[in-house]
Amino acid sequence: MPITTLADLRTLFAAPRERSVKKELPQLDAHCTRFIELSPLAVVSSAGLGGALDASPCGGQPGFVKVLDQHTLLIPDSPGNNRLDTLENIVQTGQIGLLFLVPGVDETLRVNGTALLSTDAADIAACLDAKRTPKVVIRVTVQAAYLHCAKALMRSALWDASRHIDRAGAMPSMGEMLKDQIGGDIPVETQ
């Protein structure tokens, strides 16, 4: 039977614990800032006007996402496939959700807020690295930040090297999968 109301949903679950509600902050604190400084990977989620959803990994050296202050983050655009799903969604709705991961740490950091695309020289300069100059920077205004418990990463054992698969034996390369999906004689992307 489908659940179609929030009241029906809540009949299946207990109310959230006080700690779970209170841990959501309206800005970044020192712990959130340190988490972002250590994070080489963020999943960036967005939604467009027509309901198009996107969740894209965004990575770099730890601290590639810059914390300007308690309410402001800068995320440099990185070269990719030029689909621009996230960037188009930000232009359309200005909404963003971020999930920061730190290798070896089972907790994650969730940050939600509004976003805009910036070509401001100061924003670009703040995000320069030795390899590239971003074309745009995602400027995030933080509305909510909270540390998320470790249960999901603990269950998955994501960081446990003994559970990592042998890629060559478990699944084809990205290029091989794309060739199977798209077909033709188009050049395949490198791994």
Side-chain angles (χ1 to χ4, degrees):
M1 169 180 281
I3 295 170
T4 58
T5 69
L6 296 179
D8 288 344
L9 176 63
R10 275 293 165 194
T11 64
L12 299 173
F13 296 90
R17 286 187 247 153
E18 182 180 12
R19 183 175 93 167
S20 295
V21 174
K22 284 186 168 183
K23 71 179 181 178
E24 182 176 317
L25 305 174
Q27 74 281 323
L28 303 173
D29 69 357
H31 301 296
C32 296
T33 298
R34 184 65 179 142
F35 204 100
I36 294 167
E37 290 170 348
L38 293 171
S39 176
L41 178 68
V43 178
V44 180
S45 300
S46 61
L49 285 176
L53 301 173
D54 184 60
S56 294
C58 186
Q61 292 297 315
F64 77 99
V65 173
K66 307 301 181 199
V67 178
L68 291 189
D69 57 48
Q70 292 181 312
H71 296 282
T72 313
L73 297 174
L74 299 178
I75 306 170
D77 173 45
S78 295
N81 57 20
N82 290 325
R83 285 181 50 107
L84 307 182
D85 297 316
T86 299
L87 302 181
E88 288 180 1
N89 285 347
I90 289 170
V91 168
Q92 291 178 10
T93 67
Q95 299 296 305
I96 196 164
L98 304 166
L99 179 69
F100 290 94
L101 293 103
V102 175
V105 175
D106 287 330
E107 292 81 14
T108 57
L109 174 67
R110 293 172 61 172
V111 176
N112 297 317
T114 60
L116 58 83
L117 303 182
S118 173
T119 57
D120 181 79
D123 290 348
I124 298 289
C127 293
L128 290 176
D129 68 26
K131 295 183 181 180
R132 64 186 62 94
T133 301
K135 292 181 182 178
V136 298
V137 170
I138 301 170
R139 181 180 261 274
V140 178
T141 299
V142 175
Q143 295 174 327
Y146 56 98
L147 294 165
H148 200 278
C149 74
K151 291 177 188 173
L153 269 70
M154 289 172 65
R155 285 185 200 119
S156 71
L158 182 66
W159 308 126
D160 182 351
S162 71
R163 303 231 352 230
H164 292 182
I165 66 167
D166 172 21
R167 172 68 188 256
M171 62 189 313
S173 71
M174 177 75 162
E176 291 167 324
M177 289 188 284
L178 285 175
K179 186 168 183 167
D180 289 345
Q181 292 173 339
I182 298 171
D185 290 329
I186 60 170
V188 295
E189 294 181 20
T190 60
Q191 190 63 14

Coordinates of all heavy atoms in Angstrom, one line a residue, residues 83-163:
R83 N 27.6 18.4 -19.6 CA 26.2 18.3 -19.6 C 25.6 19.5 -18.8 O 24.5 19.9 -19.1 CB 25.8 17.0 -18.9 CG 25.9 15.8 -19.8 CD 25.5 14.5 -19.1 NE 24.2 14.7 -18.5 CZ 23.1 14.1 -19.0 NH1 23.1 13.3 -20.1 NH2 21.9 14.3 -18.4
L84 N 26.3 19.9 -17.8 CA 25.9 21.1 -17.0 C 24.6 20.9 -16.2 O 24.0 21.9 -15.8 CB 25.9 22.4 -17.8 CG 27.1 22.7 -18.6 CD1 26.8 24.1 -19.4 CD2 28.3 22.8 -17.8
D85 N 24.3 19.6 -15.9 CA 23.0 19.4 -15.1 C 22.9 20.2 -13.9 O 21.9 20.9 -13.6 CB 22.9 17.9 -14.8 CG 22.9 17.0 -16.1 OD1 22.1 17.4 -17.0 OD2 23.5 16.0 -16.1
T86 N 24.0 20.1 -13.0 CA 24.0 20.9 -11.8 C 23.9 22.4 -12.0 O 23.1 23.1 -11.4 CB 25.2 20.5 -10.9 OG1 25.2 19.1 -10.6 CG2 25.2 21.3 -9.6
L87 N 24.8 22.9 -12.9 CA 24.8 24.3 -13.1 C 23.5 24.8 -13.7 O 23.0 25.9 -13.3 CB 26.0 24.6 -14.0 CG 27.4 24.2 -13.6 CD1 28.5 24.6 -14.5 CD2 27.7 24.7 -12.2
E88 N 22.9 24.1 -14.6 CA 21.6 24.5 -15.2 C 20.5 24.5 -14.1 O 19.7 25.5 -14.0 CB 21.2 23.6 -16.3 CG 22.0 23.8 -17.6 CD 21.6 22.9 -18.7 OE1 20.7 22.1 -18.6 OE2 22.3 23.0 -19.8
N89 N 20.5 23.5 -13.2 CA 19.6 23.5 -12.1 C 19.7 24.7 -11.2 O 18.8 25.3 -10.7 CB 19.7 22.2 -11.3 CG 19.1 21.0 -12.1 OD1 18.3 21.2 -13.0 ND2 19.4 19.8 -11.6
I90 N 21.0 25.0 -10.9 CA 21.2 26.2 -10.0 C 20.7 27.5 -10.6 O 20.1 28.3 -10.0 CB 22.7 26.3 -9.7 CG1 23.1 25.1 -8.7 CG2 23.1 27.6 -9.0 CD1 24.6 25.0 -8.5
V91 N 21.0 27.6 -11.9 CA 20.4 28.8 -12.6 C 18.9 28.9 -12.5 O 18.3 29.9 -12.3 CB 20.9 28.8 -14.1 CG1 20.2 29.9 -14.9 CG2 22.4 29.1 -14.2
Q92 N 18.3 27.7 -12.6 CA 16.8 27.6 -12.6 C 16.2 27.8 -11.3 O 15.2 28.5 -11.1 CB 16.3 26.3 -13.2 CG 16.6 26.2 -14.7 CD 16.2 24.9 -15.3 OE1 15.5 24.1 -14.6 NE2 16.5 24.6 -16.5
T93 N 16.8 27.2 -10.2 CA 16.1 27.2 -8.9 C 16.9 27.8 -7.8 O 16.4 28.2 -6.8 CB 15.7 25.8 -8.5 OG1 16.8 25.0 -8.2 CG2 14.8 25.1 -9.5
G94 N 18.2 27.8 -7.9 CA 19.1 28.4 -6.9 C 19.1 27.5 -5.6 O 19.6 28.0 -4.6
Q95 N 18.7 26.3 -5.7 CA 18.7 25.4 -4.5 C 19.8 24.4 -4.6 O 20.1 23.9 -5.7 CB 17.4 24.6 -4.4 CG 16.2 25.5 -4.3 CD 16.2 26.3 -3.0 OE1 16.3 25.8 -1.9 NE2 16.1 27.6 -3.1
I96 N 20.4 24.0 -3.5 CA 21.6 23.1 -3.5 C 21.6 22.3 -2.2 O 21.2 22.8 -1.1 CB 22.9 23.8 -3.7 CG1 24.0 22.9 -4.1 CG2 23.3 24.7 -2.5 CD1 25.2 23.6 -4.7
G97 N 22.0 21.1 -2.3 CA 22.3 20.2 -1.1 C 23.7 19.6 -1.3 O 24.0 19.2 -2.4
L98 N 24.4 19.5 -0.3 CA 25.8 19.0 -0.3 C 26.0 17.9 0.7 O 25.5 18.0 1.8 CB 26.8 20.1 -0.1 CG 26.7 21.4 -1.0 CD1 27.5 22.5 -0.4 CD2 27.2 21.0 -2.4
L99 N 26.8 16.9 0.3 CA 27.1 15.8 1.2 C 28.7 15.7 1.2 O 29.2 15.3 0.1 CB 26.5 14.5 0.9 CG 26.8 13.3 1.8 CD1 26.2 13.5 3.2 CD2 26.3 12.0 1.2
F100 N 29.4 16.1 2.2 CA 30.8 16.0 2.3 C 31.3 14.7 2.9 O 30.7 14.3 3.9 CB 31.4 17.2 3.1 CG 31.2 18.5 2.4 CD1 30.1 19.3 2.7 CD2 32.1 19.0 1.5 CE1 29.9 20.5 2.1 CE2 32.0 20.2 0.9 CZ 30.9 21.0 1.2
L101 N 32.3 14.1 2.3 CA 32.9 12.8 2.8 C 34.4 13.1 3.0 O 35.0 13.8 2.2 CB 32.7 11.7 1.8 CG 31.2 11.3 1.6 CD1 30.7 11.8 0.3 CD2 31.1 9.8 1.6
V102 N 34.9 12.4 4.0 CA 36.3 12.4 4.3 C 36.7 11.0 4.4 O 36.2 10.2 5.2 CB 36.6 13.1 5.7 CG1 38.0 13.0 6.1 CG2 36.1 14.6 5.6
P103 N 37.7 10.6 3.6 CA 38.2 9.2 3.6 C 38.6 8.7 5.0 O 39.3 9.4 5.8 CB 39.4 9.2 2.7 CG 39.2 10.3 1.8 CD 38.5 11.4 2.6
G104 N 38.0 7.5 5.4 CA 38.3 7.0 6.7 C 37.4 7.5 7.8 O 37.5 6.9 8.9
V105 N 36.6 8.4 7.6 CA 35.6 9.0 8.5 C 34.2 8.5 8.1 O 33.8 8.8 7.0 CB 35.7 10.5 8.6 CG1 34.6 11.1 9.6 CG2 37.1 11.0 9.0
D106 N 33.5 7.8 9.0 CA 32.2 7.3 8.7 C 31.1 8.3 8.8 O 30.1 8.2 8.2 CB 31.9 6.1 9.6 CG 32.7 4.9 9.2 OD1 33.0 4.7 8.0 OD2 33.0 4.0 10.1
E107 N 31.3 9.4 9.6 CA 30.3 10.5 9.6 C 30.4 11.3 8.3 O 31.4 11.3 7.6 CB 30.5 11.4 10.8 CG 30.2 10.8 12.1 CD 31.4 9.9 12.6 OE1 32.5 10.0 12.1 OE2 31.1 9.1 13.6
T108 N 29.3 11.9 7.9 CA 29.3 12.8 6.8 C 28.8 14.2 7.2 O 28.3 14.3 8.3 CB 28.4 12.3 5.6 OG1 27.1 12.1 6.1 CG2 29.0 11.0 5.1
L109 N 29.0 15.2 6.4 CA 28.5 16.5 6.7 C 27.5 16.9 5.6 O 27.8 16.8 4.4 CB 29.6 17.6 6.7 CG 29.1 19.0 6.9 CD1 28.5 19.2 8.3 CD2 30.3 20.0 6.7
R110 N 26.3 17.2 6.0 CA 25.2 17.7 5.1 C 25.1 19.2 5.2 O 25.0 19.8 6.3 CB 23.9 17.0 5.4 CG 23.9 15.5 5.2 CD 22.7 14.8 5.7 NE 21.5 15.3 5.0 CZ 20.3 14.7 5.2 NH1 20.2 13.6 6.0 NH2 19.3 15.1 4.6
V111 N 25.1 19.9 4.1 CA 24.9 21.3 4.0 C 23.8 21.6 2.9 O 23.9 21.1 1.8 CB 26.2 22.0 3.6 CG1 26.0 23.5 3.5 CG2 27.3 21.8 4.7
N112 N 22.8 22.4 3.3 CA 21.8 22.8 2.4 C 21.7 24.3 2.3 O 22.0 25.0 3.3 CB 20.4 22.2 2.8 CG 20.4 20.7 2.9 OD1 20.9 20.0 1.9 ND2 19.8 20.1 3.9
G113 N 21.3 24.8 1.2 CA 21.2 26.2 1.1 C 20.8 26.7 -0.3 O 20.2 25.9 -1.1
T114 N 21.1 27.9 -0.6 CA 20.9 28.5 -1.9 C 22.2 28.6 -2.6 O 23.3 28.7 -2.0 CB 20.1 29.8 -1.8 OG1 20.9 30.7 -1.1 CG2 18.8 29.7 -1.2
A115 N 22.2 28.7 -4.0 CA 23.4 28.8 -4.7 C 23.2 29.7 -5.9 O 22.1 29.9 -6.5 CB 23.8 27.4 -5.2
L116 N 24.3 30.3 -6.4 CA 24.3 31.0 -7.6 C 25.6 30.8 -8.3 O 26.6 30.3 -7.6 CB 24.1 32.5 -7.4 CG 25.0 33.3 -6.5 CD1 26.3 33.7 -7.2 CD2 24.3 34.5 -6.0
L117 N 25.7 31.0 -9.6 CA 27.0 30.8 -10.3 C 27.7 32.2 -10.4 O 27.1 33.2 -10.8 CB 26.7 30.3 -11.7 CG 25.9 28.9 -11.7 CD1 25.8 28.5 -13.2 CD2 26.6 27.9 -10.9
S118 N 28.9 32.2 -10.0 CA 29.7 33.4 -10.0 C 30.9 33.4 -10.9 O 31.6 32.4 -11.0 CB 30.2 33.7 -8.6 OG 31.1 34.8 -8.5
T119 N 31.1 34.5 -11.6 CA 32.3 34.7 -12.4 C 33.1 35.9 -11.8 O 34.0 36.4 -12.4 CB 32.0 35.0 -13.9 OG1 31.2 36.1 -14.0 CG2 31.4 33.8 -14.5
D120 N 32.8 36.2 -10.6 CA 33.5 37.3 -9.9 C 35.0 37.0 -9.8 O 35.3 35.9 -9.4 CB 32.8 37.5 -8.5 CG 33.5 38.6 -7.7 OD1 33.2 39.8 -8.0 OD2 34.4 38.3 -6.9
A121 N 35.8 37.9 -10.1 CA 37.3 37.7 -10.1 C 37.8 37.2 -8.7 O 38.6 36.3 -8.6 CB 38.0 39.0 -10.5
A122 N 37.2 37.8 -7.6 CA 37.6 37.3 -6.3 C 37.2 35.9 -6.0 O 38.0 35.1 -5.4 CB 37.1 38.3 -5.2
D123 N 36.0 35.5 -6.4 CA 35.6 34.1 -6.2 C 36.5 33.2 -7.0 O 36.9 32.1 -6.5 CB 34.1 34.0 -6.6 CG 33.2 34.6 -5.6 OD1 33.6 35.1 -4.5 OD2 32.0 34.7 -6.0
I124 N 36.7 33.5 -8.3 CA 37.6 32.7 -9.1 C 39.0 32.6 -8.5 O 39.5 31.5 -8.4 CB 37.7 33.2 -10.6 CG1 36.3 33.3 -11.2 CG2 38.7 32.5 -11.4 CD1 35.7 31.9 -11.6
A125 N 39.5 33.7 -8.1 CA 40.9 33.7 -7.5 C 41.0 32.8 -6.2 O 42.0 32.1 -6.0 CB 41.3 35.1 -7.2
A126 N 39.9 32.8 -5.4 CA 39.9 32.0 -4.2 C 39.9 30.5 -4.5 O 40.3 29.7 -3.7 CB 38.6 32.4 -3.4
C127 N 39.5 30.2 -5.7 CA 39.4 28.7 -6.1 C 40.4 28.3 -7.0 O 40.4 27.1 -7.5 CB 38.0 28.5 -6.6 SG 36.7 28.7 -5.4
L128 N 41.4 29.1 -7.3 CA 42.5 28.7 -8.2 C 43.3 27.5 -7.6 O 43.4 27.5 -6.4 CB 43.5 29.8 -8.5 CG 43.0 31.0 -9.3 CD1 44.1 32.1 -9.3 CD2 42.6 30.5 -10.7
D129 N 43.7 26.6 -8.4 CA 44.7 25.6 -8.0 C 45.8 25.5 -9.0 O 45.8 26.2 -10.0 CB 44.0 24.3 -7.6 CG 43.5 23.5 -8.8 OD1 44.0 23.7 -10.0 OD2 42.6 22.7 -8.7
A130 N 46.7 24.6 -8.7 CA 47.9 24.5 -9.6 C 47.6 24.0 -11.0 O 48.3 24.2 -11.9 CB 49.0 23.6 -8.9
K131 N 46.4 23.4 -11.1 CA 46.1 22.7 -12.4 C 45.1 23.5 -13.3 O 45.2 23.4 -14.5 CB 45.5 21.3 -12.2 CG 46.5 20.4 -11.6 CD 45.9 19.0 -11.4 CE 46.8 18.0 -10.8 NZ 46.3 16.7 -10.6
R132 N 44.2 24.3 -12.7 CA 43.2 24.9 -13.5 C 42.6 26.2 -12.9 O 42.6 26.3 -11.7 CB 42.1 23.9 -13.8 CG 41.3 23.4 -12.7 CD 40.3 22.4 -13.0 NE 41.0 21.2 -13.5 CZ 41.3 20.1 -12.8 NH1 41.0 20.1 -11.5 NH2 41.8 19.1 -13.3
T133 N 42.0 27.0 -13.7 CA 41.3 28.1 -13.3 C 39.8 27.8 -13.7 O 39.5 27.5 -14.8 CB 41.7 29.4 -14.1 OG1 43.1 29.6 -13.9 CG2 40.9 30.6 -13.7
P134 N 38.9 27.8 -12.7 CA 37.5 27.5 -12.9 C 36.9 28.6 -13.8 O 37.2 29.7 -13.7 CB 36.9 27.4 -11.6 CG 37.8 28.2 -10.7 CD 39.1 28.1 -11.2
K135 N 35.9 28.1 -14.7 CA 35.2 29.1 -15.5 C 34.1 29.8 -14.6 O 33.8 31.0 -14.8 CB 34.5 28.4 -16.6 CG 35.4 27.8 -17.7 CD 34.7 27.2 -18.8 CE 35.7 26.6 -19.8 NZ 35.0 25.9 -20.9
V136 N 33.5 29.0 -13.7 CA 32.5 29.6 -12.8 C 32.8 29.0 -11.4 O 33.4 27.9 -11.3 CB 31.0 29.3 -13.2 CG1 30.7 29.9 -14.5 CG2 30.7 27.8 -13.2
V137 N 32.2 29.6 -10.4 CA 32.3 29.1 -9.0 C 30.8 29.1 -8.5 O 30.1 30.0 -8.8 CB 33.1 30.1 -8.2 CG1 33.0 29.7 -6.7 CG2 34.6 30.0 -8.6
I138 N 30.5 28.0 -7.9 CA 29.2 27.9 -7.2 C 29.3 28.5 -5.9 O 30.1 28.1 -5.0 CB 28.7 26.4 -7.1 CG1 28.7 25.7 -8.4 CG2 27.4 26.4 -6.4 CD1 28.4 24.2 -8.3
R139 N 28.6 29.6 -5.7 CA 28.6 30.4 -4.4 C 27.4 29.9 -3.6 O 26.3 30.2 -4.0 CB 28.6 31.9 -4.7 CG 28.6 32.7 -3.4 CD 28.6 34.2 -3.7 NE 29.9 34.8 -3.7 CZ 30.5 35.2 -2.5 NH1 29.9 35.2 -1.4 NH2 31.7 35.8 -2.6
V140 N 27.6 29.3 -2.5 CA 26.6 28.7 -1.7 C 26.3 29.5 -0.5 O 27.3 29.9 0.2 CB 27.0 27.2 -1.2 CG1 25.9 26.7 -0.3 CG2 27.2 26.3 -2.4
T141 N 25.1 29.9 -0.2 CA 24.7 30.5 1.0 C 24.1 29.4 1.9 O 23.1 28.8 1.6 CB 23.7 31.6 0.8 OG1 24.3 32.6 0.0 CG2 23.2 32.3 2.1
V142 N 24.8 29.1 3.0 CA 24.4 28.0 3.9 C 23.1 28.4 4.7 O 23.1 29.5 5.3 CB 25.5 27.7 4.9 CG1 25.1 26.6 5.9 CG2 26.8 27.3 4.1
Q143 N 22.1 27.5 4.6 CA 20.9 27.7 5.4 C 20.8 26.6 6.5 O 20.2 26.8 7.5 CB 19.7 27.6 4.5 CG 19.6 28.7 3.5 CD 18.5 28.6 2.5 OE1 18.1 27.5 2.2 NE2 17.9 29.7 2.1
A144 N 21.4 25.5 6.3 CA 21.4 24.4 7.3 C 22.7 23.5 7.1 O 23.1 23.2 6.0 CB 20.2 23.5 7.1
A145 N 23.2 23.1 8.3 CA 24.4 22.3 8.3 C 24.3 21.3 9.4 O 23.9 21.7 10.5 CB 25.7 23.1 8.4
Y146 N 24.6 20.1 9.2 CA 24.6 19.1 10.3 C 25.5 17.9 10.0 O 25.5 17.4 8.8 CB 23.3 18.8 10.8 CG 22.3 18.2 9.8 CD1 22.1 16.8 9.7 CD2 21.5 19.0 9.0 CE1 21.2 16.3 8.8 CE2 20.6 18.5 8.1 CZ 20.4 17.1 8.0 OH 19.5 16.6 7.1
L147 N 26.1 17.4 11.0 CA 26.9 16.2 10.9 C 25.9 15.0 10.9 O 25.0 15.0 11.7 CB 27.8 16.1 12.1 CG 28.9 17.1 12.1 CD1 29.6 17.2 13.4 CD2 29.9 16.8 11.0
H148 N 26.1 14.1 10.0 CA 25.2 13.0 9.8 C 25.9 11.8 10.4 O 27.1 11.6 10.2 CB 24.9 12.8 8.3 CG 23.7 12.0 8.1 ND1 23.7 10.6 8.2 CD2 22.4 12.3 7.8 CE1 22.5 10.1 7.9 NE2 21.7 11.2 7.7
C149 N 25.1 11.0 11.1 CA 25.7 9.8 11.8 C 26.4 8.8 10.9 O 26.1 8.9 9.7 CB 24.6 9.1 12.7 SG 23.5 8.1 11.7
A150 N 27.2 8.0 11.5 CA 28.0 7.1 10.7 C 27.4 5.8 10.2 O 28.0 5.0 9.5 CB 29.2 6.7 11.6
K151 N 26.1 5.6 10.6 CA 25.5 4.3 10.3 C 25.6 3.8 8.9 O 25.9 2.7 8.6 CB 24.0 4.3 10.8 CG 23.9 4.4 12.3 CD 22.4 4.5 12.6 CE 22.2 4.8 14.1 NZ 20.8 5.0 14.4
A152 N 25.3 4.7 7.9 CA 25.3 4.2 6.5 C 26.7 3.8 6.0 O 26.8 2.8 5.4 CB 24.7 5.3 5.6
L153 N 27.7 4.6 6.4 CA 29.0 4.2 5.9 C 29.6 3.0 6.7 O 30.3 2.2 6.2 CB 30.0 5.4 6.0 CG 30.0 6.2 4.7 CD1 28.7 7.0 4.5 CD2 31.2 7.1 4.7
M154 N 29.2 2.9 8.0 CA 29.6 1.7 8.7 C 28.9 0.5 8.1 O 29.6 -0.6 7.9 CB 29.2 1.9 10.2 CG 30.0 2.9 10.9 SD 29.4 3.3 12.6 CE 29.6 1.7 13.4
R155 N 27.6 0.5 7.8 CA 27.0 -0.6 7.2 C 27.6 -1.0 5.9 O 27.7 -2.2 5.5 CB 25.5 -0.3 7.0 CG 24.6 -0.3 8.2 CD 23.2 -0.1 7.8 NE 22.4 0.3 9.0 CZ 21.8 1.5 9.1 NH1 21.8 2.3 8.1 NH2 21.2 1.8 10.2
S156 N 28.0 0.0 5.1 CA 28.5 -0.3 3.8 C 30.0 -0.7 3.8 O 30.5 -1.2 2.9 CB 28.4 1.0 2.9 OG 29.3 2.0 3.3
A157 N 30.7 -0.4 4.9 CA 32.1 -0.6 5.0 C 32.9 0.0 3.9 O 33.8 -0.6 3.4 CB 32.4 -2.1 5.2
L158 N 32.5 1.2 3.5 CA 33.0 1.8 2.3 C 34.5 2.0 2.4 O 35.2 1.9 1.4 CB 32.4 3.2 2.1 CG 32.8 4.0 0.9 CD1 32.4 3.3 -0.4 CD2 32.2 5.4 1.0
W159 N 35.0 2.3 3.6 CA 36.5 2.6 3.7 C 37.3 1.4 4.0 O 38.5 1.5 4.1 CB 36.7 3.7 4.8 CG 35.9 4.9 4.6 CD1 35.1 5.5 5.5 CD2 35.8 5.8 3.5 NE1 34.5 6.6 5.0 CE2 34.9 6.8 3.8 CE3 36.4 5.8 2.2 CZ2 34.6 7.8 2.9 CZ3 36.1 6.8 1.3 CH2 35.2 7.8 1.6
D160 N 36.7 0.2 4.2 CA 37.4 -1.0 4.5 C 38.0 -1.6 3.3 O 37.4 -2.1 2.4 CB 36.4 -2.0 5.1 CG 37.0 -3.3 5.6 OD1 38.2 -3.5 5.3 OD2 36.4 -4.1 6.2
A161 N 39.3 -1.4 3.2 CA 40.1 -1.9 2.0 C 39.9 -3.4 1.7 O 39.9 -3.8 0.5 CB 41.6 -1.5 2.1
S162 N 39.7 -4.2 2.7 CA 39.5 -5.6 2.5 C 38.2 -5.9 1.8 O 38.0 -7.0 1.3 CB 39.5 -6.4 3.9 OG 38.4 -6.1 4.6
R163 N 37.3 -5.0 1.7 CA 36.0 -5.2 1.1 C 35.9 -4.5 -0.3 O 34.9 -4.6 -1.0 CB 34.9 -4.6 1.9 CG 34.9 -5.2 3.3 CD 33.6 -5.8 3.8 NE 32.4 -5.6 3.1 CZ 31.2 -5.2 3.7 NH1 31.2 -4.9 4.9 NH2 30.1 -5.1 3.0

